[in-house]
Amino acid sequence: MQTKLYKELYNIWINRKDIKYISGFLVLLSLPLVYALVYFTGGITYVYSHTMYIPILLAGIFLGPRFGLMVGVIAGILMGPIMPLNVTEGTNQAVTNWLYRMIIFSLMGFISGFASNILRNNVKKIDDLSSKDSETGIPNTNYLRQLKKHITEPDLSLFSIIISNSNNIKDVLGVDVYHQLLKDIHIDLTHQKRKMVVIQPDKGMLWVIMPRTNILDDLFFLETILEKSRSVHHIPLYVDYAIGGSIYTHLTDDFSISTFIESDVAARHAQINNLPSFIFDDGKLKKRQDYELVSGFKKALDENQTFLVFQPKIHLKTKKVHALEALIRWNHPTKGIIPPDRFIPLIEETKLIHLLTDWVLEEALKMLIKLQNTQKDLSISINISCKNLYDPQFYARTMSIIGRYEVDLSKLEFEITETQIMKNPDEAIKVLKAFSKKKIKISLDDFGSGYSSLAYLTRFPIDVIKIDRMFMKSIMEKPQIQQIVASTINLSKELGYLVVAEGIEEEETAVYLESIDCDYAQGYYFAKPMKEEDLLTYLSTQNN
Ligand code: C2E
Ligand code: CA
Ligand code: CA
C-alpha cells in the first residue's frame, strides 16, 4: 500500500529513466535500419540519408549532448566511409564529403542535446520556484494541488505540525538557522521506510501526509522522528512543536487544501492547551480522554511517570515468599495514579504496548539483579499482552533485552491470561515454547475466566496455573466453587503444574487453600503490591 502511494505521489512527472531507456533502444534500433534503408535504396546519392537525423536528434534530446555527439559520429561513419556513393555503380564518396557530413551530424547531436538540457533545467527551475518554498526547498501548497489528482490511497493520516518556537529560533539564531532546521526535519521525515509527503504551507508549519495504519501509531511514529535531538551549525536546537492530526478517507472526502483544516484546528488546540499533540475529534475517534491517556503514555515512560510495584506470591506451607509479580503503575502529573485496568486496554490498541512490556521487562530484570545477593531464590513474573505474543519481533527483542542483564532465566516468569492465549493458540504455542526452551517460566493467568479445559492446555508449555481471583470471593460460602477449585488444583498437579491462587483477602481462605493442597497464594491478605523500597523492607522481615 505504501509503495503504491509513493509511486502515485512521485510519478507526477514522466518517469525520465523510462524515457531514457526507450529512446536509447530506439536509437540502437534505428541506426542499422537507416543504414540498411540508404544502402538498399541505392546509396548516399539519394535523399534517404536524411532519415539519419531521427536517431541523432532522439539521442541529443533525450540522452543529452554527450550521447548526441556520439550518435552523430556513429551516424557519420555509417553514412561515410562504409556507405557507397552509388551501390549499383560501385562508386565511393570523397573523404571531404563524408567528413563534412559527419561533423554536421555530430554538431546536430551535440547542439540538440545542449539545447534540451537548458530547456529541461529551466522547466525544472520554474517548476521548483512555483511548487517549492524558495527558502527551504520544501514542497508548498502548489505542489499539493498537483499531487491531489494522484492520490488514490483510500485512507491517509494528515498531520499539521506547528513549530511553536519558530519565532524564538529566528530571533535568537537567525532565519538561516531556522530554515536549515526545517530542511533537516524535512530530510528526516522523507528518508523513512514509511513514505510520507511533507508540505510547507507557511513559515511556521509543516503538513505531513502518510498512508494510515492507525492514526495514533502514525502520530507516535512522527513524534519519534521529531523528538530526535538536533543541531544546526553545531548549535543544539530544541524543537517545540504541537501536532494536530486528522483522518482523510477517500470515499467520503474530496482531497483539497481544506482537508488540512481539521488537522490545523487540532494542532492549534494542542498548542493552546500545551499538549504535544491532539487528534481532531468529530466522532471518527474514540473518547477524547482515552486519546489523551494514550497520547501521553510515551512521554510517561520517558519521564519516569511509570513505576513498578511488586506483589509477593506466598508458599502456603512455609508462608515464605516464593516469587514476586511485577505490576505497572502510572503516576500521571494531573490525574494522579491511574490503575493499569484503565490504561492498558487502551495502550494495547496501539504499538505502545511493545514499549510498555519492554520497559516492564527491563525494570523487572533490574530488580532481579538487585535481589540476586540477598534473595537469590525469588523469581519475578511480568504480565505479557497477547499483542506482544503475536508480534513477530517480540521474541528477538525480548531476548536481546534479557541479554543485557546477567540473570538466571529460570527466575523469570511470563504471565499470560487464558483468554488472550486462546486468540491464536498455534502462534502462542510457538512463541511460548521458544521462551520455555530458554528456561523462562510460563504462567497461565486468570485461569477459569475463560472456558478452556486443563486437558486442552496441555498443548501449551505452561509451568504455573493461576486460579482467577473471582473464585476466591465466594469460595468460603459456595461448596460448588470449592469443588471447582479443589478439582482444578488436583488436576493441575497431576499434569505437573504449580498452582497459585490469586486474590486471597481473608485468612480463612488461605487456610482452606492450604488444606486442599494449593501450593502458592497471592492476595491482599498476605501483601498488597509494593513499591521497591517497601518491598525490600518487607522481604528483609519475611524470609529470614
Ligand atoms: P493481574 O495480572 O490479574 O494482576 C493481579 C491484579 O489483582 C493486580 O491489579 C493486583 O493488584 C490485584 N490484586 C492482588 N491481590 C488482590 C486481592 O487480594 N484482591 C483484589 N481485589 N485484587 C488483588 P492491578 O495491579 O490493578 O492490575 C490489574 C491488571 O492489569 C493485571 O491483572 C494485569 O492484567 C494488568 N497489568 C498490570 N500490570 C501490567 C503490566 O505491566 N503489563 C501488562 N500487560 N498488564 C499489566
Ligand atoms: Ca498477572
Ligand atoms: Ca490474574
Side-chain angles (χ1 to χ4, degrees):
M1 180 173 103
Q2 286 157 23
T3 39
K4 194 175 129 216
L5 178 82
Y6 175 59
K7 277 189 185 155
E8 290 283 344
L9 300 181
Y10 290 101
N11 276 355
I12 290 171
W13 308 111
I14 303 164
N15 194 333
R16 289 194 182 132
K17 252 197 184 148
D18 287 356
I19 284 233
K20 274 192 175 166
Y21 289 138
I22 292 169
S23 37
F25 174 73
L26 285 177
V27 169
L28 279 180
L29 189 74
S30 52
L31 280 172
L33 280 180
V34 176
Y35 174 83
L37 174 75
V38 177
Y39 187 87
F40 292 113
T41 51
I44 202 82
T45 311
Y46 303 100
V47 71
Y48 300 102
S49 59
H50 291 288
T51 322
M52 205 41 121
Y53 288 122
I54 294 175
I56 297 172
L57 290 178
L58 263 181
I61 292 170
F62 292 107
L63 303 176
R66 251 189 294 161
F67 276 94
L69 182 74
M70 215 167 76
V71 173
V73 173
I74 296 168
I77 294 169
L78 289 174
M79 295 292 107
I82 60 172
M83 175 65 74
L85 187 63
N86 189 313
V87 178
T88 39
E89 289 174 9
T91 46
N92 282 333
Q93 307 175 54
V95 176
T96 44
N97 194 350
W98 65 257
L99 211 53
Y100 183 76
R101 189 185 310 108
M102 185 155 82
I103 292 168
I104 294 294
F105 275 2
S106 314
L107 277 176
M108 286 290 281
F110 183 76
I111 292 168
S112 61
F114 192 68
S116 96
N117 265 6
I118 292 175
L119 197 71
R120 223 193 320 252
N121 286 341
N122 280 343
V123 168
K124 191 170 178 310
K125 259 187 216 152
I126 293 167
D127 189 45
D128 282 357
L129 279 179
S130 68
S131 63
K132 287 186 180 165
D133 182 274
S134 53
E135 311 288 352
T136 59
I138 302 173
N140 60 20
T141 48
N142 283 336
Y143 179 82
L144 191 68
R145 281 191 195 93
Q146 300 159 0
L147 194 66
K148 69 175 195 183
K149 294 186 220 110
H150 300 267
I151 291 188
T152 53
E153 203 66 26
D155 291 312
L156 299 173
S157 289
L158 310 178
F159 296 104
S160 301
I161 307 168
I162 300 177
I163 313 286
S164 304
N165 58 345
S166 63
N167 285 338
N168 279 350
I169 298 176
K170 279 189 258 182
D171 291 348
V172 179
L173 302 168
V175 200
D176 289 346
V177 169
Y178 177 63
H179 287 153
Q180 190 56 47
L181 174 71
L182 286 183
K183 282 188 213 172
D184 292 351
I185 295 178
H186 177 239
I187 289 174
D188 284 349
L189 291 173
T190 48
H191 283 67
Q192 300 294 325
K193 256 201 193 139
R194 288 192 60 182
K195 293 301 169 195
M196 348 184 186
V197 174
V198 181
I199 305 283
Q200 187 187 339
D202 64 38
K203 295 287 170 207
M205 193 183 245
L206 294 174
W207 286 342
V208 175
I209 308 169
M210 61 172 116
R212 188 164 79 244
T213 48
N214 159 335
I215 189 156
L216 293 177
D217 279 337
D218 296 344
L219 171 67
F220 298 131
F221 182 68
L222 194 62
E223 281 182 333
T224 328
I225 301 168
L226 289 172
E227 273 165 20
K228 201 183 112 177
S229 56
R230 296 171 192 286
S231 59
V232 175
H233 305 323
H234 305 294
I235 308 164
L237 282 184
Y238 168 67
V239 184
D240 190 7
Y241 61 84
I243 308 180
S246 69
I247 287 169
Y248 164 77
T249 315
H250 186 56
L251 300 173
T252 52
D253 306 336
D254 194 16
F255 196 90
S256 70
I257 289 174
S258 60
T259 307
F260 285 88
I261 285 178
E262 292 182 348
S263 56
D264 282 0
V265 167
R268 301 229 185 282
H269 177 90
Q271 194 183 27
I272 292 163
N273 291 284
N274 233 347
L275 297 167
S277 55
F278 191 80
I279 302 285
F280 188 83
D281 188 355
D282 67 347
K284 285 176 191 159
L285 277 178
K286 278 195 260 157
K287 283 180 287 173
R288 177 176 306 182
Q289 275 183 349
D290 287 359
Y291 164 69
E292 279 176 4
L293 273 188
V294 176
S295 69
F297 187 72
K298 188 165 177 299
K299 195 166 164 228
L301 281 181
D302 293 342
E303 293 183 353
N304 296 327
Q305 291 171 24
T306 47
F307 60 94
L308 287 188
V309 287
F310 300 88
Q311 188 179 32
K313 294 174 195 169
I314 308 292
H315 186 240
L316 280 169
K317 289 252 151 43
T318 59
K319 305 291 178 297
K320 292 217 163 180
V321 182
H322 156 76
L324 303 168
E325 176 175 6
L327 297 155
I328 195 170
R329 294 290 178 268
W330 180 359
N331 189 5
H332 192 279
T334 55
K335 298 185 200 334
I337 300 275
I338 308 173
D341 285 337
R342 169 82 182 92
F343 68 88
I344 286 181
L346 302 174
I347 300 298
E348 278 181 328
E349 290 304 309
T350 74
K351 293 206 170 74
L352 284 169
I353 188 62
H354 305 313
L355 289 184
L356 182 148
T357 306
D358 290 354
W359 181 85
V360 171
L361 172 66
E362 191 139 10
E363 293 301 307
L365 288 166
K366 286 180 196 163
M367 191 63 187
L368 259 185
I369 299 266
K370 273 184 209 163
L371 294 176
Q372 245 165 15
N373 295 330
T374 51
Q375 312 273 345
K376 63 176 178 352
D377 293 332
L378 277 191
S379 58
I380 295 188
S381 65
I382 66 166
N383 291 282
I384 305 284
S385 154
C386 70
K387 294 281 166 59
N388 300 135
L389 216 53
Y390 305 138
D391 165 27
Q393 271 98 45
F394 180 60
Y395 176 77
R397 205 175 48 239
T398 303
M399 291 315 295
S400 118
I401 294 176
I402 293 174
R404 297 207 286 271
Y405 297 85
E406 263 186 38
V407 290
D408 172 3
L409 289 192
S410 66
K411 294 284 170 281
L412 186 63
E413 185 174 314
F414 290 168
E415 297 193 6
I416 297 127
T417 64
E418 180 198 353
T419 41
Q420 297 219 2
I421 227 174
M422 290 306 163
K423 289 186 180 160
N424 187 351
D426 293 336
E427 194 58 29
I429 288 174
K430 248 197 292 174
V431 188
L432 294 179
K433 273 194 174 150
F435 284 122
S436 200
K437 262 199 187 136
K438 298 278 174 191
K439 304 234 164 10
I440 294 170
K441 299 275 178 300
I442 308 294
S443 148
L444 192 70
D445 207 349
D446 300 350
F447 180 74
S449 60
Y451 301 97
S452 24
S453 73
L454 273 172
Y456 179 73
L457 290 171
T458 50
R459 298 174 60 209
F460 295 84
I462 294 168
D463 304 285
V464 183
I465 298 276
K466 291 186 84 179
I467 303 177
D468 195 82
R469 65 173 182 263
M470 75 176 179
F471 293 106
M472 304 306 151
K473 273 191 195 147
S474 50
I475 192 168
M476 295 320 290
E477 291 95 60
K478 294 191 179 157
Q480 300 98 312
I481 302 273
Q482 291 178 2
Q483 285 265 306
I484 295 172
V485 172
S487 57
T488 305
I489 292 171
N490 283 338
L491 187 55
S492 298
K493 295 191 131 192
E494 272 172 36
L495 293 170
Y497 305 136
L498 290 175
V499 185
V500 180
E502 292 190 291
I504 311 303
E505 295 186 358
E506 313 284 342
E507 185 182 5
E508 59 169 342
T509 323
V511 172
Y512 174 70
L513 285 164
E514 191 189 339
S515 75
I516 57 169
D517 266 351
C518 180
D519 305 302
Y520 303 100
Q522 190 182 9
Y524 295 165
Y525 166 67
F526 298 105
K528 288 198 163 177
M530 288 169 269
K531 280 185 164 184
E532 185 179 328
E533 313 85 85
D534 300 333
L535 175 81
L536 295 177
T537 323
Y538 168 86
L539 288 176
S540 65
T541 60
Q542 289 296 311
N543 280 9
N544 294 320

